[in-house]
Amino acid sequence: MNQTEAKAAIEAILFTIGDSVEIARLAQATGLDKRDVTSLLKKLQSEYQERKSGLQLVFLDDAVQLGTRPEYYESIIQIARTPKKVTLSETVLETMSIVAYKQPVTRMEIEKIRGVSCDHAINKLLEYDLIQELGRLDAPGRPILFGTTEQFLRSFGLSSLEEMPEVSALQLEELKQEAEEEIPLT
């Protein structure tokens, strides 16, 4: 398969699958190595940008997905059914933040940080596919470990977890003070 055919095959795979595809799997499907596939993906991305296509490549860790450009969303919803907009409550957002920054993390660790039960929040995050079970901790009771999903990255406009904002020492201290004020110490 030459470069042109491989690039077309990659585009066809991404279009057909709809979800993200690992770059290693694209390499396997085209018979190229990961570096060549990544190079072809960059070329494809440039072609979309140069011709101001309605499509774009979305890179998610070691995977890529073919998607539409956000600026065409209004046009798309004129034809497609409007997707249900999910609004996360403050409790669910707090739980999501803990999972995102501390993953892999157990339910007990989350509850220790929040100071309250988090069953509902975890169930909502699992339902919205923002977190997933990563396995079990090798400890008594074998508690479930939670971590974020690709849907989390998509929802928050991130390519990888490294793009998440860092929490400064000052912000951390303010959060600790707020938590202490909310939880009466007896």
Side-chain angles (χ1 to χ4, degrees), residues 99-154:
V99 173
Y101 281 98
K102 303 269 300 168
Q103 64 184 302
V105 64
T106 65
R107 181 184 310 261
M108 232 168 49
E109 291 171 310
I110 296 167
E111 290 176 351
K112 184 178 178 184
I113 292 168
R114 290 203 60 242
V116 294
S117 174
C118 62
D119 289 340
H120 173 75
I122 287 176
N123 289 336
K124 280 295 179 192
L125 292 168
L126 287 167
E127 179 185 326
Y128 296 147
D129 192 31
L130 295 173
I131 66 170
Q132 64 185 339
E133 294 181 11
L134 298 177
R136 294 196 173 262
L137 185 64
D138 190 20
R142 308 234 339 118
I144 296 170
L145 292 167
F146 295 100
T148 56
T149 62
E150 281 186 354
Q151 183 59 37
F152 167 81
L153 295 174
R154 267 187 228 97

Side-chain angles (χ1 to χ4, degrees), residues 73-86:
Y73 179 74
E74 291 300 321
S75 298
I76 294 168
I77 62 171
Q78 298 299 318
I79 303 296
R81 194 178 72 160
T82 305
K84 179 183 173 192
K85 183 174 181 172
V86 174

Side-chain angles (χ1 to χ4, degrees), residues 15-76:
F15 176 80
T16 303
I17 299 299
D19 278 331
S20 66
V21 179
E22 293 174 354
I23 294 172
R25 293 199 61 207
L26 291 172
Q28 184 180 30
T30 58
L32 302 173
D33 64 27
K34 281 178 66 174
R35 186 175 36 223
D36 289 338
V37 169
T38 301
S39 175
L40 288 175
L41 287 168
K42 296 292 184 188
K43 287 179 184 174
L44 193 56
Q45 184 178 41
S46 293
E47 289 174 12
Y48 288 149
Q49 288 173 342
E50 285 172 18
R51 64 182 162 123
K52 301 199 184 312
S53 173
L55 301 174
Q56 67 177 353
L57 292 180
V58 179
F59 290 88
L60 303 160
D61 283 332
D62 289 331
V64 65
Q65 181 175 359
L66 183 65
T68 55
R69 291 200 182 282
E71 57 264 33
Y72 299 113
Y73 179 74
E74 291 300 321
S75 298
I76 294 168

